[in-house]
Amino acid sequence: MATTSTNGLGRSIYSYSDLQGFAKQIQDRTSHKPTIGIICGSGLGSLADKVEDSIVIPYSDIQHFPVSTVKGHHSQFVIGILKGKTVICMKGRFHLYEGYPAWKLAAPVRVMSLLGVQTLVVTNAAGAMNKSYKVGDIMLMKDHLYLPGMAGNNPLVGPNMEKFGERFISTTRLYDSSLRKMARVIAKEMGYSHLIQEGVYAMVCGPSYETPAELKLLSVSSDVIGMSTCPEAIVAKHCGMTVFGLSLVTNKCVTDYDETEVDGPNHGEVLETGKLREDIIQELVAEIVAKID
C-alpha cells in the first residue's frame, strides 16, 4: 500500500485511496449497507452480539488495517441488522497508548463514512471524577475535554481531506442533543433512569491511570475520564456524521492521598463492570438504534 500524504511532520498517513481500499475490502465481504456505526468500548464488546444476520470481519483480514492489542477488544468488525437497522460495529478500537497516532485511531470512522454510515454511536469505559456518580452509572456525553488534542495530537492534523469535510470544523455541538434526549426517554421507559447521568468526558493518553493531582485538575471541567473516543468523534463530525456518545462508569477515581485502602483503578475492574452492565447497555443502545431516523 502506498501512503501518498504526510501529516506535516514528515510522517505518512492514509490517503483517500487507501481508505477507499479498506472500504472495498469490507464491501466485497457483505451485501449489507450500514447507515449506523457503533464503536464498542472496553468490556462492552457484547454490544455486537445482538447483531443479526451478521458477518464478522477480523481487522487482520483487511490488508494493511491496524489491529487492537488490548484485552477486552476483539479486533473485528461485525456487520448486520440491529432492530431493523443495518449497522457496522467495531468490536475493539485503537488507542494512543498502543502507539497509534490519532489519525489512525479514527481511520475506521472514515471507512464507515465511505460505507454509508451517517450516525456514529461511540461507547467507552470511564472512571468517575464526579463524586455523585456511582460505579455502573451510564453517562450520556454532552461534551469532551481532549487533552492530547489540545497538545497537538488532533486526528485532523495534516492535509485536509476535502472529500470528507472542511479544514476547520466546529465542535461546539459535537454530541447530538436530540439523541441524548431520546436516550433519556428510552432509559425511563426501560426503568433505568436511576443509572443515567449526563456530563463531560475527559480523554488522556494513558496507559497509566491518572494521579490524584491530575484528577483534581481535570475534575474542574469534567465528570469522567478515559483513554479513547475523542479522535473518533472529531473525525465523525468532520465526515458529517451525527454523533452520540455514552460512558459506562467502571470505577471511582482516587483523588485523596489518604485513601490508603484504595489501590486505584485496574483493567480487570473495568472489564468486570462492563460484564455487569452488558445487558443494560445492549438494550439501551439497541433501542436508540431502533429509533434513529
Side-chain angles (χ1 to χ4, degrees), residues 157-285:
V157 167
N160 184 48
M161 291 190 176
E162 297 287 344
K163 293 181 179 180
F164 288 110
E166 299 177 352
R167 167 80 283 184
F168 301 103
I169 61 168
S170 171
T171 56
T172 302
R173 296 178 179 85
L174 178 52
Y175 299 96
D176 190 76
S177 60
S178 63
L179 289 181
R180 290 201 307 276
K181 183 178 180 179
M182 179 198 298
R184 281 192 171 278
V185 171
I186 291 171
K188 183 177 181 180
E189 292 172 349
M190 297 170 66
Y192 300 142
S193 287
H194 62 291
L195 299 177
I196 302 299
Q197 306 284 357
E198 187 169 329
V200 179
Y201 174 91
M203 178 187 165
V204 293
C205 177
S208 58
Y209 290 106
E210 307 75 33
T211 68
E214 291 167 340
L215 291 167
K216 288 177 181 178
L217 173 64
L218 297 177
S219 66
V220 173
S221 60
S222 309
D223 300 286
V224 300
I225 190 164
M227 304 174 188
S228 67
T229 301
C230 299
E232 297 105 314
I234 289 170
V235 166
K237 179 71 171 182
H238 187 247
C239 292
M241 294 182 187
T242 300
V243 184
F244 171 76
L246 63 81
S247 301
L248 173 63
V249 176
T250 55
N251 60 277
K252 298 278 281 185
C253 293
V254 179
T255 58
D256 189 341
Y257 297 108
D258 295 327
E259 292 184 51
T260 54
E261 73 280 6
V262 180
D263 293 329
N266 62 78
H267 195 59
E269 181 181 26
V270 170
L271 297 179
E272 184 61 31
T273 305
K275 186 172 180 61
L276 178 68
R277 284 284 186 257
E278 63 182 359
D279 290 343
I280 293 175
I281 294 285
Q282 283 179 15
E283 287 183 65
L284 180 61
V285 172

Side-chain angles (χ1 to χ4, degrees), residues 22-40:
F22 294 144
K24 186 177 187 306
Q25 291 180 66
I26 295 170
Q27 286 174 326
D28 288 346
R29 296 275 295 271
T30 178
S31 60
H32 290 305
K33 305 295 183 184
T35 58
I36 299 171
I38 303 172
I39 300 179
C40 304

Side-chain angles (χ1 to χ4, degrees), residues 14 20 37 42 49 92 96 121 125 132 159 179 210 220 244 250 264 284:
Y14 292 141
Q20 286 180 310
S42 296
D49 297 339
L96 289 174
V121 176
S132 69
L179 289 181
E210 307 75 33
V220 173
F244 171 76
T250 55
L284 180 61

